[in-house]
Amino acid sequence: MQYHQLGKSDLHISEISYGCMSLGRDDADNARLVHQAMDGGINFFDTADLYDHGQNEISLGKALQGRRQNVIIASKAGNQWRPDGSGWDWNPRREYILSCVEESLRRLNTDYIDLYQLHGGTLEDPTDETISAFETLQQQGKIRYYGISSIRPNVVRTFAERSNIVSVMMQYSLLDRRPEESCFPLLEQRNIGVLVRGAVAKGLLIGKTPAPYLNYNEAEVTKAAAAIQQLSGAGRSAAATALRYVLQQPAVTAAVVGMRTAQQVQDALAAVRATPLTAAEIQQLRQVLPANLYEQHR
């Protein structure tokens, strides 16, 4: 396993990390998957208070009992469940963030969260108030570092310029190259790590039945998947090829991968051992389709 420093922090995280939203309701099954991932070298586990009404944090906390010192836990806040459970509302206020961390610490059964992330964001938010909350939590030792999870360039730019974030989680893949134009250069310049989600584009790049994705039609998605398959072989599966494309982008620190089965954990770990893409192969993939761009929130 390769480990990379996350931005300006002293966190060194596995380049393949665990997206815990994919975990189910069975604590024993979840523990087996988490332990399998840890045994394979994965040390970064990403959850959120939103996932399964907090049950995701509880299950992850149970799985990590006795092994907390060996892992880096990331969670998120900012989405407030309605009392009747019918949905959630956006709430980036200072008081709410400060209360959220207490509940996440309790559910995770830990004294601190390594990386605490704002789970979204808009330019209409009271950004300075939100930043103040994260800074306070850091000073109190309840979190070690903070970041954001957002695909909005204007939000990413605002936090990069006005806060001490060490990371941004965002969607990125061969079918979603929008961050290459507007976010990656800025984040790389400011030494802010990128945590990638969606590296296999909902499975469309690795064998799932083709369907339209973002601004690409079904035929274009098929073309991208075929290009991934063409560069796959004995030493590199389609999933590994898609992940290597993401991981070999200089701005990217890690790919956060959802894994629901033992086989999926095994496949994700195999990407670490896969033959790296050559510069020519990366260029070949980039030429398959015109790169898409962010049209909103620029």
Side-chain angles (χ1 to χ4, degrees):
M1 179 66 70
Q2 296 292 316
Y3 299 88
H4 305 297
Q5 185 174 355
L6 183 62
K8 301 178 286 286
S9 78
D10 64 358
L11 304 176
H12 288 78
I13 69 175
S14 50
E15 65 175 5
I16 298 294
S17 299
Y18 209 121
C20 295
M21 186 173 70
S22 61
L23 294 175
R25 295 284 187 95
D26 188 304
D27 290 341
D29 284 346
N30 292 343
R32 279 191 287 271
L33 292 172
V34 167
H35 296 166
Q36 179 188 355
M38 291 178 67
D39 292 343
I42 290 175
N43 74 343
F44 184 85
F45 295 85
D46 177 79
T47 181
D49 60 4
L50 181 69
Y51 302 158
D52 201 13
H53 295 263
Q55 288 300 313
N56 196 267
E57 288 182 322
I58 291 173
S59 193
L60 178 63
K62 290 178 179 178
L64 295 177
Q65 284 309 294
R67 305 180 74 168
R68 172 67 179 96
Q69 70 279 8
N70 301 322
V71 299
I72 295 167
I73 296 177
S75 194
K76 313 181 196 75
N79 293 293
Q80 184 173 15
W81 279 104
R82 297 174 193 141
D84 64 2
S86 63
W88 60 86
D89 300 302
W90 179 238
N91 188 349
R93 308 298 305 202
R94 173 182 166 86
E95 293 77 10
Y96 181 65
I97 300 294
L98 294 178
S99 66
C100 284
V101 78
E102 301 297 340
E103 291 302 308
S104 287
L105 289 169
R106 178 184 60 79
R107 287 190 291 260
L108 288 162
N109 196 17
T110 184
D111 296 328
Y112 64 95
I113 294 171
D114 298 283
L115 178 68
Y116 203 41
Q117 302 157 99
L118 182 67
H119 204 174
T122 74
L123 285 190
E124 288 70 49
D125 293 344
T127 303
D128 290 336
E129 182 180 324
T130 303
I131 294 169
S132 169
F134 284 102
E135 291 283 344
T136 295
L137 292 174
Q138 194 171 30
Q139 291 162 10
Q140 292 174 342
K142 293 175 181 177
I143 66 173
R144 293 178 66 189
Y145 299 98
Y146 67 96
I148 63 171
S149 176
S150 178
I151 63 170
R152 298 184 175 195
N154 52 14
V155 171
V156 170
R157 189 164 54 247
T158 297
F159 275 86
E161 293 171 351
R162 291 163 59 180
S163 77
N164 293 307
I165 58 170
V166 299
S167 65
V168 176
M169 180 177 287
M170 57 176 51
Q171 183 170 289
Y172 177 57
S173 71
L174 184 60
L175 285 172
D176 187 357
R177 293 176 56 195
R178 296 175 297 176
E180 292 179 2
E181 178 223 11
S182 56
C183 293
F184 284 176
L186 170 67
L187 296 175
E188 195 172 3
Q189 176 190 3
R190 291 183 176 265
N191 192 21
I192 297 170
V194 174
L195 302 171
V196 167
R197 60 178 178 81
V200 297
K202 296 182 177 179
L204 293 171
L205 289 172
I206 58 171
K208 188 177 178 181
T209 303
Y213 188 81
L214 298 178
N215 60 307
Y216 296 122
N217 60 36
E218 186 177 314
E220 290 170 322
V221 169
T222 300
K223 189 176 181 181
I228 291 285
Q229 190 61 48
Q230 185 180 349
L231 292 180
S232 306
R236 196 167 57 211
S237 67
T241 301
L243 285 166
R244 293 305 332 162
Y245 175 80
V246 163
L247 290 170
Q248 289 179 230
Q249 161 62 245
V252 172
T253 303
V256 180
V257 182
M259 298 170 251
R260 291 182 170 84
T261 67
Q263 184 61 52
Q264 288 177 351
V265 175
Q266 188 175 319
D267 291 345
L269 291 171
V272 177
R273 303 185 295 271
T275 307
L277 294 169
T278 65
E281 288 174 327
I282 291 174
Q283 188 60 26
Q284 181 180 331
L285 289 173
R286 285 177 173 162
Q287 292 174 344
V288 172
L289 296 173
N292 39 14
L293 305 174
Y294 284 114
E295 297 177 359
Q296 298 178 315
H297 312 294
R298 296 181 64 88

